[in-house]
Amino acid sequence: MGSTSSQLDKDALSEYQELTFLTKQEIILAHERFSAMLPQEYKGATNIRLPMEKILEMPELKSNPFNKRICHVFSTSQPNDGSLTFEDFLDLLSAFSEAATMEIKSHYAFRIFDSDNDGTLGREDLEKMVTLLTGDSKDTSLNGEEMGQLINNILEESDIDKDGTVNLSEFQHVISRSPDFVSSFKIVL
Amino acid sequence: MSSGSEPLAVSSRGLSATKRHKSVRKNSRRIYSAYQDHQGSSEDEGKDDEGVDSNDPEEMFQNIQYQKEIIANIRTRPWPMRRKLRVLKQAREIVLKYEGQLTRTRGYQTAGADLLKKLYRLLNNIVVTFIPWEVRIKKIESHFGSGVASYFIFLRWLFGINIVLTIMTGAFVVLPELLAGAPFGTTRSKTIPKEHLPSAQDLDTIWSLGGYLQYSVLFYGYYGRVRKIGSAGYRLPLAYFLVGMAVFAYSFIILLRKMAKNSRLSLASASDENFTFCWRIFCAWDYLIGNPEAAECKGAAIVNNIREAIVEEQEKKKDTSLAVLISLRILANILVLLSLAGSIYIIYFVVDRSQKLEQEKPELTLWEKNEVSVVVSLITMIAPSAFELVAQLEMYHPRTSLRFQLARVLVLYLGNLYSLIIALLDKVNSMSSAVRGASGNWTESSSFLATVSQPETNGLSTQMSARPNITLATITTALNFSNNQQVHLGTVSNQTGPLEKSARSQQDQCWETYVGQEMLKLSIIDMIFTVASILLIDFIRGLVVRYLSDCCCWDLESKFPEYGEFKIAENVLHLIYNQGMIWMGAFFSPCLPAFNVLKLIGLMYLRSWAVLTCNVPHQQVFRASRSNNFYLAMLLFMLFLCMLPTIFAIARYRPSEHCGPFSGQEKIYDIISETVATDFPLWFSKVMSYVTSPVVVLPGLLLLFMLIYYLQSIARSLKFTNNQLRLQLQTERTEDKKKVFQLAAARLQAPEPAADENPDHQETDGTSKEASIHTTPSPRRNGSVTNFQSPGNRGNSIRTISQSASRTKLNRGTGSGSVRSPAVTIPKRRVEYIPNRPRPFIGGPSGTCRSKSCLHMAYNSPAHCSDSNQSEPLYRKTVRPLHPAEAPGIIAAQSYGGRRGHATRYVIINEHESRKKLLRSATRIPCHYVMEEPAEILELYPRNIRRYPTRTTHHQPHSYRSHTPQHLSKEEEEGEEERDKGRRKVSLGKTHRPRSLSDLHQQAQFYIGEGRNDNHAARYRVQEDDEEDNSKGDKDWVDLDFHSPAQVNRKSAEPGRSGHHLRYPRRPSQSPSRSRHLESHVKTKLRAKLETPLTESDSASAASSSDQQNSSTDQYIQVIHNKERPSKTKLDLNFTESQDLVCSKV
């Protein structure tokens, strides 16, 4: 907030530093990147929402299979259209930053994977996720049988209470054991 | 304040902005409770309020502390920014406002802390800018993912180590020698021999590190043997030795520390738990990848991985032990072993040959000089590829083959280094014997020289040993010898001729310098080969592939040459090998670390350039962080193995006679004993002699062994307990499930008796209520009742008791003053707080344990209470619901398998009906009920369940709990109101709060009157964001009905919010559009609409409820914590309340 056309004011900057895991340089860089994406006439205005399409043009997000989900998760817009304000953008970067804790990261990862937003990863969520990962094309995507087995295996491993879905704590349990989740769940500008 | 936060909380959710300016306090509470809803601890909230009101500095201080805690931890909350901003502002304001009221010192303290924090942040920011190559690495990271970046991070880390090593050797050895040591050309060890002088500046001499380079600070031989140099008396030899050792010590320490940190990060687990599939899916994507090509690669790799996993799973049972495969693998291993042996032999041979060549020829060609290092570098380059080819024979799983490959390459590198150093030491051996032989020969042949000097230089034993060598040595050293004599003739010396001569003959034979030269040469050649391979193999290949692919008959990019892959594992191994060389040679060539620093810088730039321009990431993903400790472990291994030869050489060989700081000593480490003997006070050497005597050393060793054994056994037992706990958790879970089914079955079987029991009990309760309003029935009684009611399920009953207790507590708390309003929010906060930090399975006490402790506390708390009247009826009421819950559970039992939320809901209905009929028939106003029921069906349950589920492992408790609140509220409203309104007014005002707390039947009333709904809606809108109703509700109970729905609404909103945080995903639409959602509830009087979202969430939460055991540990801990706190009476209430509430949630 309170940003002038090219610069964040000091208070906001320090507040953002307080509230995110980003360093000053990273916040400034993020701001530059964000305002570079703004159309000219809105430069300097506060609280502009960048539509999701614009955000997805960033190379950092462009090739990410979950990019739309990421935008939706971090968007605070009223009808959830995935558009981001600068603050949402900072939230995104903070969650994906190096310094963010495991809890935060796994929390957001869970939300990203939970495509129907029902609070658990059901079979459909998992299926969608795998399809996103593998892509839609014929030769890469898994057939029904493979998918079924894959999901069964996933549930077998992670669904501790055997209710057929993976909930957040189960998810975090699994994720926290993973050696490389924290290092790969990162986005740097 | 509100004006301050307004510009921040703009746009979307600003609808309530206008209604916000009540007062600073209220506002603060609002935001505050918004915070608590999600996390935070209840006692803090209580404190806060006390502090604000009571002006007690202690409490105020605690409040401020709490606010500061918020400020400190806010970034770890998964909230949207606006929310964080608001809470932060709020907390800051409170701190600012009340801090002034504290003592001055505290103000200063906090100001100082603030300043420090700011400075720290500034420093951090500065430090970040000085981290070398940060941007570069990030760029690579964002293109190629964390795997490739891990190589560069590792490189940077090595670079850091080498810088420290360079500073150590530079500051303590090289600089003093340069500044204070004897200048070049003054002593014999520092002058180039005459016969070498003409060629000393030739390029090939320099290239082979001879000439001027050989007689420079680069190598051991240059350092003077003078014990103290300069005016300050710097003990250079001692420093040299100590620094040499410190290099190893530092490397060890830094490595081990890093490893410990890494393993702490990776939780040191994952060994016995296997989440192959989950990891492959959940952690598959590397979010850093920003390059489309890399993304494609990664996508393909993921698909492969998944397919592989599936196939593996399918074929797990199939035994594919084919004879062919086995024989192939054996063959492959034989090949690898052969090549390893071959490479070792070649190195040994080359060293041997070079030694012979040196002795036979006066002038060596460039090739002959560099033969050794070139051959070694060639082997290190070619052999890994050969291994890779061989590995294809084996047809292992890619991961296994990668591991094999790594192990083989590591063995190869080690073999290379070892055979090299052994060959060198061998050469040293023969060199020193040759020297001795030469001098011995010389004494014999030239009898005119004083033999006095002989014993001095060689000692008796050497002469003895030299004798047999003489015949051999005469031939080999003939050349040297004649040279020496010439030199001797030429030199103008004040010293005795014989000494001079023998010294000269040995000066060339400074073996330490020789080893140092070899290592440095090896390092240089290795660097050249690396650069060449990058340029030729990667760059040229990349160019060819990119530009010739059009004019070629096959697709160069995807078929044969392709682009060079960036093989992370092998490159890392190469770095390790390189570092091993440095460690090996650092003692003999103090400038080796400095050279390595340069080399690493060059490598960094070249590699990063090559990676970005002409490499594709390796297909086999070598995971970054998993490998991190793997890299380090290999490095540690390398360090140890590289240290051995150096230590061996130091301990075994005699330092060269006429060069280096230790010349003239029997052994290099004698410098220590010499210093101790001469430069320390007598007592010190005495102490040292005691310490080093076997009397001390042996027990010390024993002690060490014992310690190691002890620590190991501790580690083992910890592991054991870990496993036990995990097992316990698992069994508990299954037991919970069993219990649920058992209960359901029990209900199905015996609904009748329970139903019979119900009325009785309720009646007694009713009478007792009427009769004794003043006497508080002890909670124990309730406890026993509950136990009786639900036999066979102790855990559950206990829980219910504690809950009822907490409820009463709450009542009291609210009743004692309007200030108490936060008490309502406490439980929520607590509730939500915990799940946010998962403490997975660490030392979680068993469920029964927890519930017991809760029970205990529940008992305690009532004892504190002052107005027992209020609590008394409540107890009874809370007890009652238990029956209905079990009795009419016919329906519940049926639906248990599915969604629990529904099931319980139905139960309620039944219960209510029965109760109504049995107990209240006479006094009730029927219409009241009629209205209520449907609403309850819809809403009560969801609410309660949503609230509790998170922390309960048992499903059953939900239903119990949910009953309790209902009854409470009902009776209070209906029974008590009618009987003695005058008194009840107060109590209602008080009880009102707990009701809202547990989301009681207000909800129901909410739907009763249609006309009211608008009111609710309006009110709701006000509150939905602000939660200001607390204070209001306390004051006007007339408004209660209207008011409470609003509260309920708020609550219903809160679970949504909280759910959003904890188990967020529950309702996507809710968090952003929470307000809308709720309003729609209020306005549309259609039940159906209301039902859907709520049940959704409710079932979701119910589903998720069962595995919150992790968090419950946390709760448990906190409960204890609360208890221990010293509390004043006012605070006490709040504390205990929180305890109870916590308990109820366990």
Side-chain angles (χ1 to χ4, degrees):
Chain A
M1 326 229 115
S3 56
T4 60
S5 60
S6 64
Q7 266 185 330
L8 287 164
D9 74 43
K10 252 191 170 175
D11 292 343
L13 198 58
S14 81
E15 235 143 40
Y16 289 147
Q17 279 184 70
E18 197 80 52
L19 294 176
T20 63
F21 291 98
L22 305 171
T23 61
K24 194 171 153 197
Q25 289 93 330
E26 283 168 325
I27 291 170
I28 291 171
L29 180 64
H31 190 251
E32 274 167 22
R33 290 290 298 271
F34 190 80
S35 38
M37 285 186 287
L38 286 174
Q40 196 57 46
E41 62 268 30
Y42 291 118
K43 285 257 160 75
T46 57
N47 274 296
I48 297 296
R49 288 194 171 275
L50 261 188
M52 185 166 74
E53 293 71 37
K54 271 258 177 193
I55 297 279
L56 294 187
E57 277 168 24
M58 291 173 63
E60 284 81 6
L61 283 173
K62 200 171 183 180
S63 38
N64 194 323
F66 301 109
N67 49 14
K68 292 206 177 86
R69 283 296 310 154
I70 291 174
C71 281
H72 280 296
V73 164
F74 285 96
S75 169
T76 53
S77 66
Q78 219 33 286
N80 199 337
D81 59 357
S83 61
L84 299 183
T85 62
F86 175 58
E87 289 183 352
D88 298 340
F89 187 62
L90 274 189
D91 275 334
L92 191 157
L93 289 179
S94 170
F96 278 102
S97 72
E98 188 127 26
T101 57
M102 184 76 176
E103 283 82 53
I104 283 256
K105 277 176 187 284
S106 52
H107 175 94
Y108 279 113
F110 186 78
R111 286 176 59 177
I112 288 166
F113 294 153
D114 182 21
S115 37
D116 56 5
N117 295 319
D118 65 350
T120 58
L121 297 180
R123 295 190 79 93
E124 301 78 37
D125 290 325
L126 292 174
E127 224 163 277
K128 253 182 209 158
M129 204 175 109
V130 174
T131 330
L132 280 180
L133 269 177
T134 56
D136 289 332
S137 65
K138 260 243 162 115
D139 53 329
T140 57
S141 62
L142 304 176
N143 61 35
E145 195 187 325
E146 284 174 319
M147 183 70 85
Q149 195 185 359
L150 179 65
I151 287 168
N152 280 342
N153 279 322
I154 291 172
L155 288 178
E156 201 174 292
E157 280 173 7
S158 60
D159 184 19
I160 298 164
D161 60 359
K162 303 290 173 219
D163 61 352
T165 57
V166 182
N167 60 37
L168 179 61
S169 55
E170 286 165 348
F171 182 77
Q172 284 182 330
H173 173 70
V174 169
I175 288 286
S176 66
R177 298 299 189 283
S178 163
D180 38 29
F181 171 73
V182 172
S183 65
S184 68
F185 197 75
K186 278 195 291 188
I187 290 178
V188 281
L189 284 183
Chain B
M1 110 127 282
S2 54
S3 63
S5 63
E6 227 69 284
L8 291 167
V10 228
S11 71
S12 64
R13 247 184 272 163
L15 62 147
S16 60
T18 49
K19 296 181 184 173
R20 273 225 208 124
H21 1 261
K22 299 285 165 189
S23 69
V24 170
R25 243 207 89 216
K26 219 175 243 177
N27 212 344
S28 82
R29 165 109 24 84
R30 246 181 276 140
I31 286 158
Y32 210 50
S33 46
Y35 173 77
Q36 298 146 6
D37 294 344
H38 303 272
Q39 43 229 128
S41 49
S42 53
E43 95 269 25
D44 284 329
E45 157 68 7
K47 249 182 272 162
D48 166 41
D49 250 78
E50 297 301 324
V52 169
D53 283 343
S54 71
N55 283 345
D56 180 349
E58 188 52 40
E59 283 158 18
M60 207 188 302
F61 181 64
Q62 277 169 350
N63 172 29
I64 287 171
Q65 284 307 27
Y66 171 59
Q67 298 292 353
K68 280 184 182 154
E69 212 170 278
I70 296 179
I71 296 173
N73 293 326
I74 192 156
R75 60 164 73 164
T76 60
R77 322 265 186 228
W79 301 340
M81 180 75 76
R82 183 170 311 115
R83 173 115 180 238
K84 285 194 273 186
L85 263 180
R86 213 171 46 178
V87 175
L88 179 74
K89 278 237 152 145
Q90 192 50 55
R92 275 202 182 138
E93 217 143 292
I94 290 174
V95 170
L96 264 186
K97 194 175 169 200
Y98 295 108
E99 211 160 38
Q101 293 175 26
L102 288 175
T103 55
R104 194 155 277 198
T105 41
R106 266 184 184 153
Y108 285 139
Q109 273 174 8
T110 49
D114 265 3
L115 198 70
L116 263 182
K117 206 170 143 202
K118 262 184 193 152
L119 273 179
Y120 177 73
R121 202 196 287 156
L122 190 74
L123 207 73
N124 247 0
N125 281 334
I126 290 171
V127 164
V128 165
T129 48
F130 281 109
I131 293 176
W133 307 309
E134 186 73 2
V135 180
R136 189 172 283 263
I137 289 177
K138 288 227 162 123
K139 195 175 164 198
I140 293 167
E141 206 169 30
S142 67
H143 274 76
F144 287 91
S146 53
V148 175
S150 75
Y151 167 83
F152 288 95
I153 289 167
F154 187 65
L155 201 159
R156 186 173 63 184
W157 186 70
L158 279 181
F159 172 75
I161 290 183
N162 276 296
I163 285 209
V164 175
L165 296 187
T166 307
I167 289 171
M168 264 162 45
T169 51
F172 295 111
V173 175
V174 179
L175 269 184
E177 173 66 34
L178 280 178
L179 295 176
F184 181 75
T186 48
T187 59
R188 245 159 291 123
S189 65
K190 291 186 181 184
T191 42
I192 301 169
K194 273 276 155 52
E195 76 276 11
H196 289 166
L197 203 50
S199 66
Q201 289 190 57
D202 293 358
L203 193 63
D204 69 316
T205 319
I206 295 291
W207 177 248
S208 56
L209 303 173
Y212 281 107
L213 285 184
Q214 188 180 348
Y215 299 95
S216 70
V217 282
L218 273 181
F219 299 110
Y220 169 91
Y222 182 78
Y223 294 85
R225 56 168 299 180
V226 188
R227 286 289 172 265
K228 290 182 181 180
I229 58 169
S231 52
Y234 187 76
R235 296 169 208 276
L236 184 77
L238 183 66
Y240 194 98
F241 182 75
L242 289 182
V243 164
M245 295 302 106
V247 162
F248 291 123
Y250 171 78
S251 308
F252 259 119
I253 289 167
I254 202 94
L255 250 176
L256 289 176
R257 268 189 58 191
K258 179 96 176 169
M259 281 180 84
K261 201 175 139 205
N262 267 2
S263 63
R264 228 177 296 136
L265 276 181
S266 59
L267 287 173
S269 66
S271 51
D272 49 347
E273 279 172 293
N274 215 353
F275 299 109
T276 336
F277 284 93
C278 289
W279 289 344
R280 253 169 230 210
I281 302 298
F282 295 148
C283 315
W285 189 254
D286 195 334
Y287 288 75
L288 286 160
I289 292 177
N291 183 347
E293 275 175 43
E296 220 168 85
C297 264
K298 183 80 190 179
I302 289 170
V303 173
N304 280 343
N305 239 331
I306 294 172
R307 283 247 161 82
E308 227 168 61
I310 292 172
V311 170
E312 244 172 62
E313 191 68 19
Q314 279 167 350
E315 295 184 356
K316 219 168 208 174
K317 283 122 204 172
K318 286 182 200 167
D319 202 22
T320 52
S321 58
L322 299 164
V324 183
L325 196 65
I326 289 178
S327 54
L328 267 179
R329 285 179 186 175
I330 290 173
L331 179 74
N333 276 314
I334 290 173
L335 279 177
V336 169
L337 282 180
L338 277 181
S339 63
L340 278 178
S343 74
I344 289 169
Y345 175 73
I346 288 173
I347 291 172
Y348 202 83
F349 172 78
V350 166
V351 174
D352 205 41
R353 199 174 92 101
S354 76
Q355 191 182 340
K356 273 183 196 142
L357 277 175
E358 241 169 61
Q359 284 163 356
E360 283 158 14
K361 283 198 217 170
E363 274 307 308
L364 297 174
T365 60
L366 185 64
W367 163 250
E368 282 163 346
K369 277 181 185 166
N370 297 304
E371 205 178 29
V372 175
S373 28
V374 169
V375 166
V376 170
S377 300
L378 265 182
I379 288 174
T380 55
M381 266 194 59
I382 294 167
S385 321
F387 288 167
E388 210 166 326
L389 282 180
V390 169
Q392 287 180 358
L393 271 182
E394 294 177 306
M395 293 189 286
Y396 276 124
H397 183 277
R399 209 181 321 120
T400 337
S401 71
L402 184 72
R403 261 177 220 155
F404 267 88
Q405 170 78 354
L406 282 176
R408 282 166 187 166
V409 172
L410 187 68
V411 169
L412 173 88
Y413 284 163
L414 273 177
N416 284 350
L417 278 182
Y418 255 70
S419 52
L420 180 71
I421 196 81
I422 288 172
L424 285 178
L425 289 180
D426 202 40
K427 199 171 163 186
V428 166
N429 234 347
S430 66
M431 224 157 72
S432 52
S433 63
V435 164
R436 282 160 203 165
S439 49
N441 188 14
W442 185 73
T443 23
E444 279 181 1
S445 60
S446 49
S447 53
F448 64 92
L449 287 169
T451 44
V452 192
S453 63
Q454 271 326 112
E456 269 178 27
T457 48
N458 286 332
L460 199 64
S461 58
T462 350
Q463 267 194 335
M464 295 296 283
S465 64
R467 300 271 166 187
N469 289 336
I470 287 169
T471 40
L472 284 170
T474 14
I475 311 158
T476 53
T477 55
L479 266 170
N480 272 344
F481 190 52
S482 59
N483 280 347
N484 288 335
Q485 277 187 327
Q486 285 168 10
V487 173
H488 170 59
L489 289 172
T491 43
V492 187
S493 70
N494 318 333
Q495 297 170 18
T496 51
L499 271 175
E500 180 91 0
K501 261 188 207 170
S502 64
R504 263 302 166 215
S505 75
Q506 283 156 3
Q507 193 191 331
D508 275 349
Q509 311 286 342
C510 193
W511 63 267
E512 291 95 340
T513 298
Y514 177 71
V515 173
Q517 265 176 317
E518 283 303 317
M519 296 318 291
L520 186 55
K521 226 188 273 180
L522 187 64
S523 193
I524 290 172
I525 302 269
D526 178 74
M527 182 175 75
I528 289 167
F529 269 77
T530 314
V531 171
S533 79
I534 289 172
L535 284 182
L536 286 175
I537 298 181
D538 290 332
F539 185 59
I540 305 286
R541 184 168 155 193
L543 280 182
V544 166
V545 169
R546 176 146 297 175
Y547 294 108
L548 295 187
S549 61
D550 297 336
C551 46
C552 206
C553 45
W554 71 88
D555 187 12
L556 285 176
E557 289 194 14
S558 62
K559 293 239 177 75
F560 166 56
E562 302 180 39
Y563 289 109
E565 274 181 349
F566 186 77
K567 294 172 182 167
I568 302 163
E570 268 137 68
N571 278 312
V572 166
L573 267 185
H574 187 258
L575 276 185
I576 289 170
Y577 165 70
N578 177 52
Q579 192 58 38
M581 273 187 316
I582 303 305
W583 279 321
M584 222 177 226
F587 187 77
F588 305 111
S589 168
C591 290
L592 208 52
F595 169 75
N596 199 36
V597 166
L598 297 179
K599 181 177 172 178
L600 287 179
I601 292 174
L603 203 59
M604 182 79 182
Y605 282 105
L606 194 68
R607 269 261 178 251
S608 58
W609 167 78
V611 162
L612 286 175
T613 49
C614 46
N615 269 350
V616 292
H618 200 290
Q619 284 284 344
Q620 259 132 47
V621 190
F622 197 67
R623 296 303 203 128
S625 62
R626 191 182 313 172
S627 52
N628 261 346
N629 247 357
F630 181 66
Y631 298 163
L632 292 174
M634 282 198 296
L635 195 63
L636 189 70
F637 187 56
M638 200 70 174
L639 172 60
F640 178 70
L641 290 180
C642 289
M643 204 178 69
L644 280 185
T646 314
I647 299 287
F648 176 78
I650 288 171
R652 171 83 173 68
Y653 292 105
R654 210 177 159 202
S656 301
E657 290 296 336
H658 295 283
C659 64
F662 310 110
S663 53
Q665 286 173 210
E666 191 54 41
K667 291 276 187 275
I668 287 174
Y669 54 78
D670 281 347
I671 189 78
I672 296 287
S673 44
E674 190 192 302
T675 316
V676 168
T678 56
D679 295 335
F680 280 89
L682 195 66
W683 62 266
F684 189 81
S685 62
K686 229 178 203 170
V687 167
M688 282 305 287
S689 72
Y690 281 131
V691 166
T692 50
S693 71
V695 182
V696 179
V697 170
L698 279 182
L701 267 179
L702 266 179
L703 194 71
L704 264 181
F705 278 127
M706 266 151 56
L707 252 179
I708 290 171
Y709 181 77
Y710 173 69
L711 288 177
Q712 214 195 357
S713 57
I714 280 186
R716 221 180 301 139
S717 65
L718 281 179
K719 215 176 189 180
F720 180 73
T721 15
N722 235 359
N723 282 338
Q724 287 272 307
L725 284 174
R726 192 175 293 139
L727 233 129
Q728 205 175 326
L729 266 176
Q730 277 166 1
T731 51
E732 216 161 279
R733 243 176 218 143
T734 49
E735 252 167 44
D736 283 349
K737 262 175 256 160
K738 265 188 217 153
K739 245 181 237 166
V740 171
F741 284 115
Q742 275 173 3
L743 273 174
R747 276 187 204 170
L748 266 176
Q749 285 166 2
E752 277 313 304
D756 288 342
E757 206 177 283
N758 251 343
D760 292 355
H761 206 80
Q762 280 167 346
E763 234 142 36
T764 50
D765 269 25
T767 47
S768 70
K769 194 209 289 168
E770 282 162 42
S772 62
I773 304 167
H774 302 283
T775 54
T776 326
S778 80
R780 257 169 215 108
R781 188 190 144 208
N782 288 320
S784 64
V785 170
T786 17
N787 272 335
F788 161 62
Q789 282 164 341
S790 58
N793 196 344
R794 225 174 121 222
N796 285 341
S797 64
I798 287 164
R799 248 170 246 120
T800 17
I801 297 161
S802 62
Q803 197 181 356
S804 61
S806 71
R807 212 136 303 264
T808 48
K809 254 290 129 92
L810 263 181
N811 278 345
R812 248 175 298 116
T814 42
S816 60
S818 58
V819 198
R820 274 309 125 64
S821 52
V824 181
T825 46
I826 288 167
K828 272 175 278 146
R829 231 215 290 158
R830 170 73 69 179
V831 167
E832 267 110 24
Y833 186 52
I834 291 122
N836 261 344
R837 358 172 191 145
R839 291 261 172 98
F841 303 96
I842 306 162
S846 71
T848 46
C849 268
R850 255 176 271 132
S851 54
K852 268 174 206 156
S853 71
C854 296
L855 177 66
H856 182 57
M857 267 168 270
Y859 287 150
N860 282 347
S861 46
H864 292 287
C865 68
S866 46
D867 38 358
S868 47
N869 294 353
Q870 247 68 44
S871 60
E872 166 224 341
L874 290 174
Y875 276 124
R876 255 173 279 125
K877 280 163 215 152
T878 45
V879 172
R880 229 172 290 137
L882 288 173
H883 290 283
E886 285 184 359
I890 315 150
I891 309 157
Q894 292 164 348
S895 52
Y896 249 118
R899 316 214 128 173
R900 288 147 217 151
H902 294 290
T904 37
R905 224 184 287 140
Y906 290 117
V907 176
I908 301 163
I909 308 167
N910 290 341
E911 177 203 321
H912 275 291
E913 278 164 7
S914 68
R915 266 228 298 142
K916 203 207 308 170
K917 281 172 206 152
L918 291 165
L919 190 70
R920 301 274 163 81
S921 53
T923 43
R924 286 299 147 271
I925 304 158
C927 71
H928 215 54
Y929 266 109
V930 177
M931 301 305 223
E932 273 178 1
E933 275 164 37
E936 268 173 341
I937 296 163
L938 293 175
E939 297 257 297
L940 275 173
Y941 259 88
R943 191 72 40 60
N944 285 323
I945 282 172
R946 221 179 302 132
R947 163 107 11 122
Y948 295 110
T950 2
R951 56 232 46 99
T952 47
T953 10
H954 310 262
H955 314 312
Q956 208 50 44
H958 297 205
S959 63
Y960 288 131
R961 266 171 224 160
S962 41
H963 294 298
T964 14
Q966 284 171 350
H967 288 288
L968 250 179
S969 59
K970 255 203 186 169
E971 276 187 289
E972 264 159 84
E973 292 231 335
E974 292 150 20
E976 293 173 16
E977 272 179 47
E978 281 162 43
R979 272 168 213 169
D980 45 359
K981 275 194 177 173
R983 256 224 283 135
R984 291 302 170 194
K985 267 182 193 176
V986 193
S987 73
L988 265 177
K990 289 166 192 171
T991 48
H992 153 70
R993 196 132 315 274
R995 228 178 290 138
S996 72
L997 196 206
S998 44
D999 306 328
L1000 307 177
H1001 80 303
Q1002 271 90 330
Q1003 191 84 37
Q1005 283 188 338
F1006 174 32
Y1007 297 100
I1008 294 168
E1010 312 220 327
R1012 268 189 209 165
N1013 277 335
D1014 293 331
N1015 276 339
H1016 301 320
R1019 184 173 297 269
Y1020 177 55
R1021 242 175 273 128
V1022 181
Q1023 287 158 346
E1024 122 229 31
D1025 225 1
D1026 312 345
E1027 284 106 26
E1028 67 186 36
D1029 56 305
N1030 293 340
S1031 47
K1032 256 198 186 172
D1034 293 326
K1035 285 152 200 160
D1036 46 354
W1037 77 273
V1038 186
D1039 196 25
L1040 202 128
D1041 281 356
F1042 298 112
H1043 180 68
S1044 41
Q1047 259 189 334
V1048 172
N1049 271 340
R1050 173 165 66 79
K1051 244 106 232 189
S1052 75
E1054 273 151 16
R1057 270 187 240 153
S1058 66
H1060 192 60
H1061 294 294
L1062 318 176
R1063 3 162 182 140
Y1064 123 83
R1066 185 149 319 133
R1067 328 183 215 170
S1069 58
Q1070 205 160 4
S1071 73
S1073 58
R1074 175 172 35 100
S1075 51
R1076 270 190 302 126
H1077 187 163
L1078 288 165
E1079 263 181 330
S1080 74
H1081 283 296
V1082 183
K1083 280 174 185 163
T1084 60
K1085 288 135 214 164
L1086 296 173
R1087 249 175 257 149
K1089 271 193 186 173
L1090 279 165
E1091 193 163 6
T1092 38
L1094 287 166
T1095 46
E1096 235 177 71
S1097 66
D1098 136 33
S1099 61
S1101 60
S1104 70
S1105 66
S1106 48
D1107 31 40
Q1108 293 291 341
Q1109 274 185 338
N1110 319 348
S1111 52
S1112 52
T1113 20
D1114 224 351
Q1115 276 174 322
Y1116 180 60
I1117 291 158
Q1118 256 167 334
V1119 172
I1120 290 165
H1121 171 68
N1122 290 346
K1123 250 180 126 189
E1124 283 167 356
R1125 238 171 234 225
S1127 51
K1128 306 187 176 172
T1129 39
K1130 271 188 184 177
L1131 277 174
D1132 205 1
L1133 277 172
N1134 284 337
F1135 284 149
T1136 43
E1137 276 159 29
S1138 68
Q1139 282 168 15
D1140 297 343
L1141 288 162
V1142 172
C1143 301
S1144 69
K1145 264 136 230 158
V1146 170

